[in-house]
Amino acid sequence: MPKSKNLSRSVIFGIALFFTSLFGSMYWLWCRFGPSGHQVYEAVHSDMNMAVTIDSASSICDLTVRRYKQIGKELQFELASNIGGLAPYDVVIRQKGKQFEFKSVPHRNGTWLTIEEVNLHSGTAQILVKSLGVADCQTVAEFSYNEEQETEILSKSKWIRKGSKDNWLDVRPFVINGKVHLKDIANYNDGRTKVIMLDGIEIKNLDQGIEVQPGYFYSITARWIDAPYNDWWNKLRNRSLRQQNIWIAPENTQEQATGQRDEVLTKIEIPKWFSPSNSANVSFDTQFPEFKPIKGKLVMQYRLNSNVSPQNYFNRGVSYLYGWEKNLPIQKLHWTATPNVFSDQDQDWFSTQTKEQVETYANIPDFGVYAIDFEFWNQVYTPEVKQRLIWFGEKIRREHPNTYYFDYWGGGAYTNPHISSTSAKPLDFVKDYHDPRPNTTNFDILPNGQSQRNIYNVTPIDVYPKAMFAKDAAGNTPTNFVLLSAIHSLRINQLIPFQKNNKFIFYGWNRYQPLFGDPIVPWYIPTTNPKGELIVNQLEMMPGSQALAMSLFSLVMFDGYYLWHDSQPQGNDPNGFTITEDWPGWGKEWFPADGKTDISVFSKPKSKPDTPFYWDYPTEFYSLGNWMAKQVEDILVGGKNVDLPFETNGKWHTPPKEQVLLSMDQKEPFITAVVKGNKIVILGINSFQTPTTHQKVRV
């Protein structure tokens, strides 16, 4: 299909490669390792290098070096002993008359003794390991080193990895024939069913290495279950979970222009200056170029760093910050009202309240955005609940006419069916385009003629990450369908007459809310004072590619997003934690580098905020999508959304109005655009192809 010759400016988002892999506070009580019974699984080892013990103080501690790994210039040694409390160690490596000493090397259960960088030659070497925890406990072993392996790992300055850290999952970027590959050097197996996913899609042969692209972000999860994988819902099964998240720097770190020109199109790339933060604290609020929010779009985020001014966020595309901010105009704040508005009372209690009582609860400040998330357990409201929500909303709209007001819990008139290939089938919803109507009774007209139809001026759709099961034959999981399902749902909402003038937004969260007693992810946090490692229970993080897609599609096709968080602005002290015995809901383990410092040392002043307990890279990618969309603001503002014909396998597809459903059903690309005069913005995605597939689509 030839390009139109009358386009004075055409823009295409060049993010297809990045998207190929798509796909209040809580009290968490899950077991760290997942198994619900007492079954113990032993690792099944493939062929590995065996060390040769030269000398061991066996009468004292029976310390030996069993096996070893060389990873670039890093060495790992598996130690074994009949007693505990041996770490840390003094380590000496000898080779060809030279001796290298490493003092007080820490070591914890779940990892091998690691020397991060050595300076050896190819050939045989010896290692002396001397315990500092038990006197006279030491061992000497012989191993082999290969200089040719030193460059197999990408330079540490060119990648960031955070998440789990143990012998179950160890994914790193290798350089193979000049190309970057992700490779799992742990390759842990214990006889259970094992499934590895990259950005929510099952992949094979990660232990052999799979080619990936510099400049992109990859989320790898590993799951083990003593049953077929699609039985993951069964909490009586023994299940374990690990996750590592890796960003690889682009090959050319020089600044680039906004885009690269061809004869007509300008490609909006992920900019070379972009990188997620190397710490748990986000960095977009200081590192991004300044830009004002896109006119007419809603971007609702939280201030995440206590040492960063709120103005930094407003100067980086954020429209509204959360309502606990001080000394800011109320109209610049958003608020989500949770059930604690009613002291967590249920719908039966709410149904008994008089109009005067309900209106008392609606005495709110003049927020820019006000959302209700009352969680009446049943999202389909009774007539009594609907009537009181009408009273509540009428007062807010009457007294705060400029406030954007919506019901997150009840949702829009057409609630998101969360379509996927393993649950609700895409083509079952084609009829909704021909006869668009509410799929919930929440907006039905009451006998007195009142309804919620004119109460809300924002329609949200939930885009929380979904469970990574069940997977289909192609390895796709429900999370691969989240974006397209949300697009379908908002489009039907736009077709319902009483909502046509609303703002339509995605309402997201950056982590997966567990179901069925899912095991959690053990998350590694290094500390510096005291030096050591915290292992805390965490939730599974959404893929960075999915976060970027949610942001872009919400801003290009719709009116923006609301990104939920769980905490107030946080500190950046790498040791800024207060950990007590009753640390609420979080499993925690502490491994001091000196082998003896107690966890009670983590006690900071209550006036100082905690440091984040996880790497919030999804927020960085939501913000990146906001910046990318800003580059074509002149087209988005006042432009018209249309889906584009596209070619696959030599055949052109002319998109009907239900194209997003067809893309889900056939697992094909979805290509849409915004047109304004002779200008066009094109945005495309394939949520279902494997992360290692490169695809070009003609439109």
Side-chain angles (χ1 to χ4, degrees):
M1 178 175 290
K3 299 169 184 174
S4 173
K5 296 300 183 183
N6 65 348
L7 294 180
S8 64
R9 179 183 175 197
S10 297
V11 184
I12 182 167
F13 282 103
I15 52 179
L17 283 177
F18 193 74
F19 286 164
T20 58
S21 53
L22 272 180
F23 348 53
S25 61
M26 301 181 181
Y27 197 70
W28 298 323
L29 298 171
W30 304 298
C31 171
R32 173 188 169 191
F33 293 106
S36 54
H38 298 290
Q39 177 72 34
V40 176
Y41 292 90
E42 296 291 339
V44 179
H45 297 294
S46 57
D47 293 337
M48 299 187 70
N49 297 320
M50 300 298 297
V52 178
T53 299
I54 304 300
D55 181 40
S56 178
S58 57
S59 62
I60 298 172
C61 62
D62 195 30
L63 177 64
T64 59
V65 178
R66 286 182 175 173
R67 294 170 298 167
Y68 66 94
K69 300 176 186 176
Q70 180 185 344
I71 310 153
K73 299 188 72 173
E74 178 181 308
L75 288 172
Q76 294 186 4
F77 298 92
E78 182 189 33
L79 305 183
S81 177
N82 58 5
I83 63 173
L86 302 183
Y89 300 94
D90 280 347
V91 176
V92 176
I93 294 178
R94 303 185 182 106
Q95 187 190 52
K96 298 178 181 179
K98 292 185 178 181
Q99 180 167 296
F100 307 92
E101 297 184 1
F102 306 89
K103 296 292 186 180
S104 298
V105 179
H107 185 225
R108 64 168 166 89
N109 292 334
T111 64
W112 287 7
L113 183 72
T114 299
I115 308 298
E116 293 191 350
E117 186 165 330
V118 297
N119 184 21
L120 301 179
H121 297 290
S122 293
T124 301
Q126 286 187 356
I127 180 172
L128 164 65
V129 182
K130 181 179 181 180
S131 169
L132 298 182
V134 175
D136 299 322
C137 176
Q138 66 181 46
T139 188
V140 179
E142 191 174 82
F143 66 97
S144 182
Y145 187 82
N146 184 353
E147 284 182 274
E148 294 182 358
Q149 292 179 224
E150 291 184 344
T151 58
E152 65 180 354
I153 297 288
L154 193 65
S155 170
K156 289 184 179 180
S157 65
K158 296 183 178 180
W159 55 284
I160 304 171
R161 185 187 73 174
K162 297 186 187 298
S164 302
K165 184 180 180 182
D166 54 29
N167 291 325
W168 291 44
L169 184 67
D170 190 352
V171 180
R172 308 195 195 193
F174 280 67
V175 180
I176 303 175
N177 297 324
K179 303 291 186 180
V180 179
H181 292 66
L182 291 182
K183 184 177 180 180
D184 177 22
I185 57 178
N187 194 28
Y188 174 85
N189 292 281
D190 58 17
R192 289 179 290 172
T193 300
K194 178 183 177 181
V195 173
I196 298 283
M197 292 182 180
L198 199 163
D199 284 20
I201 298 179
E202 183 182 14
I203 56 172
K204 306 289 187 181
N205 303 319
L206 189 60
D207 60 310
Q208 301 298 314
I210 60 171
E211 185 179 346
V212 293
Q213 298 296 308
Y216 296 105
F217 190 98
Y218 300 93
S219 293
I220 302 99
T221 56
R223 288 174 168 80
W224 296 263
I225 179 174
D226 60 345
Y229 175 73
N230 282 2
D231 285 351
W232 187 267
W233 57 269
N234 188 346
K235 64 182 178 182
L236 298 180
R237 294 297 184 180
N238 290 275
R239 302 166 298 166
S240 302
L241 175 63
R242 298 292 187 272
Q243 181 181 30
Q244 291 178 340
N245 308 283
I246 299 176
W247 177 77
I248 304 170
E251 292 178 333
N252 179 8
T253 58
Q254 298 297 314
E255 281 294 324
Q256 67 172 15
T258 298
Q260 296 176 345
R261 301 283 302 183
D262 64 15
E263 60 180 288
V264 174
L265 300 176
T266 298
K267 190 176 182 181
I268 304 297
E269 301 267 16
I270 296 175
K272 298 294 185 182
W273 49 257
F274 172 77
S275 167
S277 172
N278 196 21
S279 73
N281 296 87
V282 298
S283 60
F284 78 90
D285 54 9
T286 56
Q287 298 304 312
F288 272 39
E290 292 190 358
F291 65 100
K292 294 297 182 183
I294 300 171
K295 184 178 180 181
K297 305 289 185 178
L298 306 181
V299 172
M300 290 153 282
Q301 291 187 201
Y302 287 51
R303 183 164 63 99
L304 300 180
N305 290 317
S306 61
N307 65 327
V308 176
S309 164
Q311 193 58 47
N312 277 39
Y313 287 74
F314 297 136
N315 288 345
R316 286 167 177 81
V318 175
S319 312
Y320 302 92
L321 288 175
Y322 202 63
W324 52 45
E325 294 288 347
K326 308 297 183 185
N327 304 317
L328 289 177
I330 294 295
Q331 294 79 16
K332 294 292 293 180
L333 303 179
H334 63 84
W335 187 263
T336 294
T338 59
N340 60 22
V341 170
F342 309 120
S343 301
D344 294 315
Q345 302 282 357
D346 60 17
Q347 69 174 13
D348 292 336
W349 168 87
F350 189 59
S351 298
T352 66
Q353 299 301 290
T354 66
K355 182 178 181 181
E356 290 73 20
Q357 289 172 317
V358 169
E359 288 183 339
T360 299
Y361 292 108
N363 291 323
I364 67 167
D366 192 29
F367 286 115
V369 182
Y370 189 81
I372 56 175
D373 183 16
F374 290 156
E375 297 185 18
F376 288 128
W377 298 107
N378 189 346
Q379 288 182 282
V380 178
Y381 298 141
T382 65
E384 292 78 15
V385 168
K386 283 186 281 190
Q387 179 63 76
R388 282 150 184 83
L389 289 177
I390 292 169
W391 292 337
F392 187 93
E394 282 181 337
K395 180 174 181 179
I396 289 177
R397 293 299 305 280
R398 183 173 62 249
E399 296 186 356
H400 308 283
N402 296 319
T403 295
Y404 288 110
Y405 177 61
F406 65 93
D407 178 7
Y408 168 70
W409 178 254
Y414 187 91
T415 57
N416 193 343
H418 298 308
I419 303 164
S420 77
S421 62
T422 58
S423 57
K425 304 300 182 184
L427 297 186
D428 291 343
F429 300 92
V430 171
K431 63 183 185 302
D432 295 333
Y433 288 88
H434 305 286
D435 185 20
R437 61 177 63 187
N439 64 355
T440 174
T441 60
N442 288 348
F443 290 80
D444 285 358
I445 299 175
L446 296 175
N448 63 5
Q450 293 186 318
S451 76
Q452 296 195 86
R453 295 184 175 189
N454 299 313
I455 296 296
Y456 308 109
N457 55 8
V458 174
T459 299
I461 283 295
D462 166 9
V463 290
Y464 280 23
K466 297 296 172 282
M468 295 290 186
F469 67 96
K471 65 180 178 67
D472 60 21
N476 297 126
T477 62
T479 199
N480 298 108
F481 294 81
V482 170
L483 173 63
L484 299 184
S485 180
I487 291 171
H488 162 74
S489 300
L490 274 192
R491 281 187 159 179
I492 299 301
N493 273 300
Q494 287 177 317
L495 295 173
I496 295 173
F498 60 79
Q499 295 186 142
K500 64 181 181 180
N501 295 321
N502 283 10
K503 293 285 191 179
F504 297 90
I505 66 168
F506 286 176
Y507 193 108
W509 191 39
N510 56 24
R511 295 185 282 178
Y512 161 59
Q513 175 60 55
L515 303 169
F516 311 111
D518 285 292
I520 53 69
V521 177
W523 191 275
Y524 159 81
I525 301 175
T527 61
T528 59
N529 185 25
K531 188 175 182 180
E533 299 175 345
L534 276 170
I535 310 294
V536 301
N537 289 353
Q538 272 300 341
L539 303 184
E540 188 173 339
M541 303 296 293
M542 73 184 298
S545 55
Q546 191 176 37
L548 179 56
M550 297 302 181
S551 176
L552 275 169
F553 277 87
S554 73
L555 289 163
V556 172
M557 293 187 68
F558 302 109
D559 298 308
Y561 62 81
Y562 186 125
L563 183 57
W564 174 261
H565 273 84
D566 303 317
S567 62
Q568 297 192 26
Q570 296 183 300
N572 58 3
D573 179 355
N575 312 294
F577 310 109
T578 299
I579 302 175
T580 60
E581 288 301 319
D582 58 348
W583 204 31
W586 300 75
K588 77 276 186 184
E589 294 179 80
W590 163 238
F591 298 94
D594 63 9
K596 58 186 178 182
T597 301
D598 189 75
I599 195 172
S600 62
V601 299
F602 292 103
S603 180
K604 61 172 182 51
K606 291 184 178 180
S607 60
K608 293 187 176 181
D610 272 350
T611 298
F613 282 98
Y614 64 92
W615 192 28
D616 192 9
Y617 61 82
T619 294
E620 308 264 35
F621 282 101
Y622 263 99
S623 300
L624 175 61
N626 190 7
W627 179 88
M628 292 174 73
K630 176 69 176 182
Q631 309 312 303
V632 291
E633 178 181 29
D634 60 322
I635 307 173
L636 298 183
V637 177
K640 180 181 179 181
N641 180 226
V642 294
D643 295 340
L644 297 183
F646 62 94
E647 182 188 38
T648 58
N649 300 320
K651 180 182 178 181
W652 280 95
H653 302 263
T654 300
K657 52 188 174 183
E658 67 271 14
Q659 178 58 46
V660 69
L661 295 175
L662 298 180
S663 293
M664 280 191 273
D665 182 67
Q666 301 298 316
K667 295 182 178 175
E668 293 179 334
F670 175 69
I671 314 293
T672 194
V674 175
V675 178
K676 184 178 180 182
N678 61 355
K679 299 178 182 180
I680 187 171
V681 175
I682 304 172
L683 182 60
I685 190 169
N686 188 338
S687 296
F688 309 106
Q689 69 185 48
T690 64
T692 56
T693 300
H694 300 168
Q695 183 179 29
K696 290 185 178 181
V697 179
R698 296 182 69 207
V699 297

